[in-house]
Amino acid sequence: MRATLILAWPMALTNLSQMALLATDAAFLGHLSTEALAAATLSGTLYWTMLAPGFGFSFAAAAMLAQERGRRVGHVRAMRRTLRAGGWAALLAALPGMVLLWHGGAVLRALGQEPGLAIHAQEFLRFVLWGIFPFCLFLTLRGFMAAMERPWPPLLIGVLAVPLNALLDWVFIFGHLGAPALGVQGAGIASAGANLFMVVALALFILRDRKLRRYRVFGRFWRLEAGRLLRVLRLGLPVAAQMLLEIGLFSAVGLVMGPFGAQAVAAHAIALQIASTTFAIPLGLSQAATARVGLAIGAARPRAAWRAGWTAIGLSTLFMGPMAAMMLLAPGALTRIFLDPMAPGAPETAALAGTLLLFAGLFQLSDGVQVVAAGALRGLHDTQVPMVIAGLGYWALGFTAALILAHPLGFGPAGIWAGLVIGLGGVAAALTWRWARLSRRGGLTAGRRLAPIPA
């Protein structure tokens, strides 16, 4: 438990700091105009969706790096080659997303969004997209630091990026210190600049650290090894697809909320923001589980991998239990943080948000368990079956149930969130069953099927 927490908490706090970047943009744009804030909100949904492939390949590289370090023999050269392949995979993942975000306004209009807001969103996206590749590369380097069990430098850099982003927002949105007032475009510049700072700062730390320097992680970085790259892609594509399925589910739920009116959309946004904040902690535990399970498998210690996976799942349950209780027992207190009680429609929005938070409380445990179980399975290099489970659970089960409960059965927005409870519960049960089955045998068959590439 101690080893898992030492690795997981810095990673969880790093996740929160990354969420804070777009939240900072939204806070500054909210003081510019409501249209700018709405455009940033729409942009954020599209932006995070396009980051899913980058997360997938960085998580795959992290799993490979952990197993290679656990093997010890020849691990320095093997890790350097995997990290280089992970960087190229990050570039390949970033390019399609950058192209789509460049035309983000047209995409949002095609999804039925208001043309004026779509134009403002495109102004933001055409600048923030230049930060996607640096951010994906930062994620890959963070996976290397996790495999080295050094999570604190990425956390410090991520925390420093938040005030830097705020400063750049202040300068470029409103035109201070001699800079032009660029409005929404300035927020995009600020976020891209913060992402560039994070990857440069972490790269400099790795180059200057005495223990990390010997890995020469940037040596011949321009070389493209097809075999190693294909391994990262084969392992990472299912992870990227799984993340797209989950992010796409919540994005689709947001769109389905639209016909129920502005208050339903606002209540959904409040409940989702609270649930996303608590989710950052299990996500950190998931990343720690990938690293610790991978290290144990690489060292041929299946019993240690079994302990690492179940410990992370148990810790996630211990954390999400009180979070669920808080949402179930005090939903009104949480919603008041986001609403001015004197604003028009605030009482109705608060009441609906409180109802949705009750459902968020019901899926806290399953949401925490499913993401950690998926992380433990990544440590075994088992990604294809979890992707299928995610597709069936999130969409065939969860989204279908949401539509049926919301419309034919007439439960409205509450029915949509009840569908999320059903979908997340199904995925959590299936992924936990798979982890139990693979780890129970001691042989951890998924890890054996994918024999390690020689260094």
Side-chain angles (χ1 to χ4, degrees):
M1 288 179 67
R2 179 177 177 272
T4 301
L5 287 172
I6 288 174
L7 188 58
W9 278 107
M11 301 180 82
L13 293 174
T14 305
N15 294 334
L16 285 171
S17 70
Q18 290 162 359
M19 293 170 59
L21 293 179
L22 284 180
T24 304
D25 292 338
F28 276 90
L29 289 173
H31 288 84
L32 182 66
S33 69
T34 55
E35 290 81 5
L37 176 58
T41 303
L42 287 175
S43 302
T45 301
L46 202 58
Y47 177 78
W48 283 110
T49 302
M50 292 302 102
L51 281 179
F55 275 106
F57 293 128
S58 68
F59 287 168
M64 293 174 62
L65 289 164
Q67 284 201 13
E68 287 160 354
R69 182 170 180 246
R71 282 194 292 272
R72 294 294 180 183
V73 178
H75 75 283
V76 172
R77 184 165 179 261
M79 291 180 73
R80 179 169 61 249
R81 294 171 64 188
T82 296
L83 188 62
R84 183 166 59 211
W88 280 103
L91 175 60
L92 292 175
L95 288 176
M98 292 173 68
V99 171
L100 190 142
L101 291 181
W102 184 265
H103 302 285
V107 173
L108 291 171
R109 285 195 298 273
L111 293 174
Q113 302 302 319
E114 187 179 317
L117 289 179
I119 292 173
H120 282 301
Q122 182 165 290
E123 292 175 354
F124 174 79
L125 290 170
R126 285 193 171 179
F127 284 89
V128 76
L129 66 85
W130 299 107
I132 287 183
F133 176 63
F135 183 69
C136 291
L137 190 55
F138 172 79
L139 291 175
T140 306
L141 293 176
R142 194 178 74 162
F144 168 73
M145 297 296 287
M148 298 301 297
E149 298 178 278
R150 299 279 297 276
W152 289 101
L155 169 61
L156 178 61
I157 291 168
V159 170
L160 290 176
V162 176
L164 173 64
N165 186 57
L167 174 63
L168 294 175
D169 276 329
W170 179 73
V171 170
F172 290 108
I173 291 176
F174 301 107
H176 295 292
L177 302 180
L182 299 175
V184 176
Q185 296 177 355
I189 294 172
S191 286
N195 287 333
L196 182 61
F197 160 77
M198 288 194 297
V199 69
V200 170
L202 186 54
L204 290 175
F205 176 85
I206 292 172
L207 290 172
R208 294 182 63 85
D209 184 85
R210 182 174 57 85
K211 292 183 178 180
L212 300 177
R213 191 187 309 153
R214 72 188 185 97
Y215 285 83
R216 295 187 293 113
V217 298
F218 300 107
R220 297 182 179 180
F221 202 79
W222 58 88
R223 289 185 59 184
L224 180 61
E225 296 183 58
R228 187 77 57 150
L229 178 62
L230 287 175
R231 179 71 180 274
V232 174
L233 293 175
R234 186 176 65 170
L235 193 62
L237 278 171
V239 183
Q242 184 178 348
M243 298 197 69
L244 275 172
L245 288 168
E246 185 170 4
I247 294 172
L249 172 66
F250 284 94
S251 299
V253 164
L255 294 173
V256 172
M257 281 287 180
F260 292 102
Q263 291 178 355
V265 174
H268 167 77
I270 292 170
L272 186 59
Q273 181 62 53
I274 295 171
S276 300
T277 302
T278 61
F279 180 75
I281 306 303
L283 182 58
L285 286 165
S286 172
Q287 293 163 312
T290 299
R292 289 188 49 74
V293 170
L295 287 168
I297 290 299
R301 298 174 60 209
R303 184 68 180 174
W306 179 89
R307 285 198 305 271
W310 283 116
T311 298
I313 291 172
L315 287 170
S316 177
T317 304
L318 286 174
F319 174 78
M320 293 301 261
M323 296 301 102
M326 178 177 63
M327 294 180 190
L328 291 170
L329 298 176
L334 294 172
T335 58
R336 282 194 291 272
I337 298 172
F338 296 86
L339 288 170
D340 180 358
M342 304 304 294
E348 295 81 3
T349 301
L352 181 54
T355 300
L356 299 185
L357 270 181
L358 296 176
F359 290 99
L362 292 175
F363 70 60
Q364 286 296 286
L365 288 176
S366 57
D367 203 15
V369 167
Q370 63 89 16
V371 71
V372 178
L377 289 168
R378 279 196 297 272
L380 307 181
H381 290 189
D382 181 55
T383 59
Q384 294 184 3
V385 172
M387 175 193 68
V388 175
I389 290 172
L392 293 175
Y394 293 145
W395 288 90
L397 181 62
F399 192 65
T400 301
L403 293 178
I404 293 172
L405 289 168
H407 294 291
L409 298 183
F411 289 100
I416 294 174
W417 275 64
L420 294 178
V421 174
I422 294 170
L424 289 169
V427 172
L431 290 179
T432 305
W433 171 82
R434 181 161 180 81
W435 166 253
R437 188 174 71 85
L438 292 182
S439 62
R440 183 176 61 243
R441 300 175 180 174
L444 295 160
T445 50
R448 282 184 173 173
R449 270 200 305 273
L450 291 174
I453 293 177

Short mmCIF file of all heavy atoms in Angstrom, two decimals, residues 61-62 64-70 74-85 143-148 215 217 228 295 455:
data_model
loop_
_atom_site.label_atom_id
_atom_site.label_comp_id
_atom_site.label_asym_id
_atom_site.label_seq_id
_atom_site.Cartn_x
_atom_site.Cartn_y
_atom_site.Cartn_z
N ALA A 61 3.25 2.88 -23.75
CA ALA A 61 4.70 3.01 -23.58
C ALA A 61 5.08 2.84 -22.11
O ALA A 61 6.10 2.22 -21.79
CB ALA A 61 5.17 4.36 -24.11
N ALA A 62 4.27 3.39 -21.20
CA ALA A 62 4.55 3.27 -19.77
C ALA A 62 4.54 1.81 -19.34
O ALA A 62 5.38 1.37 -18.53
CB ALA A 62 3.54 4.08 -18.96
N MET A 64 5.17 -0.84 -21.24
CA MET A 64 6.36 -1.49 -21.79
C MET A 64 7.61 -1.09 -21.02
O MET A 64 8.47 -1.93 -20.71
CB MET A 64 6.50 -1.14 -23.27
CG MET A 64 5.41 -1.72 -24.15
SD MET A 64 5.49 -1.13 -25.86
CE MET A 64 7.09 -1.76 -26.36
N LEU A 65 7.73 0.19 -20.68
CA LEU A 65 8.90 0.67 -19.95
C LEU A 65 9.00 0.01 -18.57
O LEU A 65 10.10 -0.33 -18.11
CB LEU A 65 8.83 2.20 -19.80
CG LEU A 65 9.05 3.00 -21.08
CD1 LEU A 65 8.56 4.44 -20.89
CD2 LEU A 65 10.52 2.99 -21.47
N ALA A 66 7.85 -0.17 -17.91
CA ALA A 66 7.87 -0.78 -16.59
C ALA A 66 8.35 -2.23 -16.66
O ALA A 66 9.17 -2.67 -15.84
CB ALA A 66 6.47 -0.71 -15.97
N GLN A 67 7.83 -3.00 -17.63
CA GLN A 67 8.29 -4.38 -17.74
C GLN A 67 9.76 -4.46 -18.09
O GLN A 67 10.49 -5.32 -17.58
CB GLN A 67 7.45 -5.12 -18.79
CG GLN A 67 6.06 -5.50 -18.32
CD GLN A 67 5.45 -6.63 -19.14
OE1 GLN A 67 6.15 -7.30 -19.91
NE2 GLN A 67 4.16 -6.85 -18.98
N GLU A 68 10.23 -3.55 -18.95
CA GLU A 68 11.65 -3.58 -19.33
C GLU A 68 12.55 -3.24 -18.14
O GLU A 68 13.59 -3.87 -17.95
CB GLU A 68 11.88 -2.61 -20.49
CG GLU A 68 11.33 -3.13 -21.81
CD GLU A 68 11.11 -2.05 -22.85
OE1 GLU A 68 11.28 -0.86 -22.52
OE2 GLU A 68 10.76 -2.41 -23.98
N ARG A 69 12.16 -2.28 -17.34
CA ARG A 69 12.97 -1.98 -16.15
C ARG A 69 12.94 -3.14 -15.16
O ARG A 69 13.93 -3.44 -14.50
CB ARG A 69 12.49 -0.70 -15.48
CG ARG A 69 13.35 -0.33 -14.28
CD ARG A 69 13.05 1.03 -13.74
NE ARG A 69 13.91 1.32 -12.60
CZ ARG A 69 13.48 1.48 -11.35
NH1 ARG A 69 12.19 1.40 -11.07
NH2 ARG A 69 14.33 1.71 -10.37
N GLY A 70 11.77 -3.79 -15.04
CA GLY A 70 11.69 -4.92 -14.13
C GLY A 70 12.59 -6.07 -14.52
O GLY A 70 13.11 -6.79 -13.66
N GLY A 74 19.76 -5.57 -19.70
CA GLY A 74 19.67 -4.78 -20.92
C GLY A 74 18.57 -3.75 -20.90
O GLY A 74 18.16 -3.26 -21.96
N HIS A 75 18.09 -3.37 -19.70
CA HIS A 75 16.91 -2.51 -19.65
C HIS A 75 17.20 -1.08 -20.07
O HIS A 75 16.29 -0.39 -20.54
CB HIS A 75 16.30 -2.52 -18.24
CG HIS A 75 17.06 -1.74 -17.23
ND1 HIS A 75 18.23 -2.19 -16.64
CD2 HIS A 75 16.83 -0.51 -16.70
CE1 HIS A 75 18.68 -1.29 -15.79
NE2 HIS A 75 17.87 -0.25 -15.80
N VAL A 76 18.44 -0.60 -19.92
CA VAL A 76 18.74 0.80 -20.25
C VAL A 76 18.51 1.05 -21.74
O VAL A 76 17.79 1.98 -22.13
CB VAL A 76 20.18 1.16 -19.85
CG1 VAL A 76 20.55 2.56 -20.37
CG2 VAL A 76 20.33 1.11 -18.33
N ARG A 77 19.09 0.20 -22.57
CA ARG A 77 18.94 0.38 -24.02
C ARG A 77 17.50 0.10 -24.45
O ARG A 77 16.94 0.80 -25.31
CB ARG A 77 19.90 -0.55 -24.76
CG ARG A 77 19.90 -0.37 -26.27
CD ARG A 77 21.10 -1.04 -26.90
NE ARG A 77 21.07 -0.89 -28.34
CZ ARG A 77 20.64 -1.82 -29.19
NH1 ARG A 77 20.19 -2.98 -28.71
NH2 ARG A 77 20.67 -1.62 -30.48
N ALA A 78 16.88 -0.92 -23.85
CA ALA A 78 15.51 -1.26 -24.22
C ALA A 78 14.56 -0.11 -23.88
O ALA A 78 13.67 0.23 -24.68
CB ALA A 78 15.08 -2.53 -23.49
N MET A 79 14.73 0.49 -22.72
CA MET A 79 13.85 1.59 -22.32
C MET A 79 14.06 2.80 -23.22
O MET A 79 13.11 3.51 -23.57
CB MET A 79 14.08 1.96 -20.86
CG MET A 79 13.61 0.89 -19.87
SD MET A 79 13.90 1.34 -18.14
CE MET A 79 12.64 2.61 -17.92
N ARG A 80 15.31 3.06 -23.60
CA ARG A 80 15.57 4.19 -24.49
C ARG A 80 14.87 3.99 -25.84
O ARG A 80 14.25 4.92 -26.37
CB ARG A 80 17.07 4.35 -24.70
CG ARG A 80 17.44 5.49 -25.64
CD ARG A 80 18.92 5.80 -25.62
NE ARG A 80 19.74 4.68 -26.04
CZ ARG A 80 20.53 3.99 -25.23
NH1 ARG A 80 20.61 4.28 -23.95
NH2 ARG A 80 21.25 2.98 -25.69
N ARG A 81 14.92 2.78 -26.37
CA ARG A 81 14.29 2.51 -27.66
C ARG A 81 12.76 2.58 -27.56
O ARG A 81 12.09 3.08 -28.46
CB ARG A 81 14.72 1.14 -28.17
CG ARG A 81 16.21 1.07 -28.50
CD ARG A 81 16.65 -0.34 -28.79
NE ARG A 81 16.00 -0.87 -29.99
CZ ARG A 81 16.10 -2.15 -30.37
NH1 ARG A 81 16.79 -3.00 -29.64
NH2 ARG A 81 15.51 -2.55 -31.47
N THR A 82 12.22 2.08 -26.46
CA THR A 82 10.76 2.15 -26.27
C THR A 82 10.30 3.58 -26.11
O THR A 82 9.26 3.98 -26.65
CB THR A 82 10.35 1.32 -25.05
OG1 THR A 82 10.65 -0.06 -25.32
CG2 THR A 82 8.87 1.46 -24.76
N LEU A 83 11.06 4.38 -25.35
CA LEU A 83 10.68 5.78 -25.17
C LEU A 83 10.73 6.53 -26.49
O LEU A 83 9.86 7.37 -26.78
CB LEU A 83 11.61 6.44 -24.15
CG LEU A 83 11.23 7.85 -23.70
CD1 LEU A 83 9.87 7.83 -23.02
CD2 LEU A 83 12.27 8.42 -22.76
N ARG A 84 11.72 6.21 -27.31
CA ARG A 84 11.79 6.84 -28.63
C ARG A 84 10.59 6.44 -29.49
O ARG A 84 9.98 7.30 -30.15
CB ARG A 84 13.09 6.42 -29.31
CG ARG A 84 13.34 7.07 -30.67
CD ARG A 84 14.78 6.87 -31.08
NE ARG A 84 15.14 5.46 -31.17
CZ ARG A 84 16.36 4.98 -30.91
NH1 ARG A 84 17.32 5.80 -30.52
NH2 ARG A 84 16.61 3.70 -31.04
N ALA A 85 10.21 5.17 -29.45
CA ALA A 85 9.04 4.72 -30.20
C ALA A 85 7.77 5.37 -29.65
O ALA A 85 6.86 5.73 -30.42
CB ALA A 85 8.92 3.20 -30.12
N GLY A 143 5.42 8.72 -18.33
CA GLY A 143 5.40 7.27 -18.21
C GLY A 143 6.78 6.71 -17.90
O GLY A 143 6.91 5.75 -17.12
N PHE A 144 7.82 7.29 -18.50
CA PHE A 144 9.19 6.89 -18.18
C PHE A 144 9.50 7.17 -16.71
O PHE A 144 10.09 6.33 -16.01
CB PHE A 144 10.17 7.64 -19.09
CG PHE A 144 11.60 7.53 -18.68
CD1 PHE A 144 12.30 6.34 -18.86
CD2 PHE A 144 12.26 8.61 -18.12
CE1 PHE A 144 13.64 6.24 -18.49
CE2 PHE A 144 13.59 8.52 -17.74
CZ PHE A 144 14.28 7.33 -17.92
N MET A 145 9.09 8.33 -16.22
CA MET A 145 9.34 8.67 -14.82
C MET A 145 8.56 7.74 -13.89
O MET A 145 9.05 7.39 -12.80
CB MET A 145 8.94 10.12 -14.56
CG MET A 145 9.75 11.14 -15.35
SD MET A 145 11.51 11.15 -14.92
CE MET A 145 11.45 11.93 -13.30
N ALA A 146 7.36 7.32 -14.30
CA ALA A 146 6.60 6.37 -13.48
C ALA A 146 7.31 5.01 -13.43
O ALA A 146 7.38 4.39 -12.37
CB ALA A 146 5.19 6.21 -14.04
N ALA A 147 7.83 4.55 -14.58
CA ALA A 147 8.56 3.29 -14.59
C ALA A 147 9.82 3.37 -13.73
O ALA A 147 10.23 2.38 -13.12
CB ALA A 147 8.94 2.93 -16.03
N MET A 148 10.42 4.56 -13.64
CA MET A 148 11.59 4.78 -12.78
C MET A 148 11.20 5.04 -11.33
O MET A 148 12.06 5.26 -10.49
CB MET A 148 12.41 5.96 -13.31
CG MET A 148 12.96 5.77 -14.71
SD MET A 148 14.05 4.34 -14.85
CE MET A 148 15.37 4.79 -13.73
N TYR A 215 20.47 7.02 -19.09
CA TYR A 215 19.56 6.37 -20.02
C TYR A 215 19.60 7.01 -21.41
O TYR A 215 19.11 6.43 -22.36
CB TYR A 215 18.13 6.39 -19.47
CG TYR A 215 17.92 5.41 -18.35
CD1 TYR A 215 18.27 5.73 -17.05
CD2 TYR A 215 17.39 4.15 -18.59
CE1 TYR A 215 18.08 4.84 -16.00
CE2 TYR A 215 17.19 3.24 -17.57
CZ TYR A 215 17.55 3.59 -16.27
OH TYR A 215 17.36 2.69 -15.25
N VAL A 217 17.86 9.22 -22.97
CA VAL A 217 16.54 8.98 -23.56
C VAL A 217 16.33 9.73 -24.86
O VAL A 217 15.45 9.37 -25.66
CB VAL A 217 15.43 9.32 -22.55
CG1 VAL A 217 15.51 8.43 -21.33
CG2 VAL A 217 15.49 10.78 -22.14
N ARG A 228 9.70 -1.69 -33.01
CA ARG A 228 9.34 -1.17 -31.69
C ARG A 228 8.12 -0.26 -31.78
O ARG A 228 7.26 -0.29 -30.91
CB ARG A 228 10.55 -0.41 -31.12
CG ARG A 228 10.43 0.05 -29.69
CD ARG A 228 10.64 -1.07 -28.70
NE ARG A 228 11.91 -1.75 -28.84
CZ ARG A 228 12.56 -2.32 -27.83
NH1 ARG A 228 12.07 -2.26 -26.62
NH2 ARG A 228 13.69 -2.96 -28.01
N LEU A 295 6.45 -3.69 -13.55
CA LEU A 295 7.75 -3.95 -12.93
C LEU A 295 7.82 -5.37 -12.39
O LEU A 295 8.84 -6.06 -12.54
CB LEU A 295 8.00 -2.94 -11.80
CG LEU A 295 8.32 -1.51 -12.21
CD1 LEU A 295 8.25 -0.58 -11.01
CD2 LEU A 295 9.72 -1.43 -12.84
N ALA A 455 16.30 -6.65 -26.07
CA ALA A 455 16.88 -5.31 -26.01
C ALA A 455 17.80 -5.06 -27.19
O ALA A 455 17.96 -3.92 -27.60
CB ALA A 455 17.64 -5.13 -24.70
#
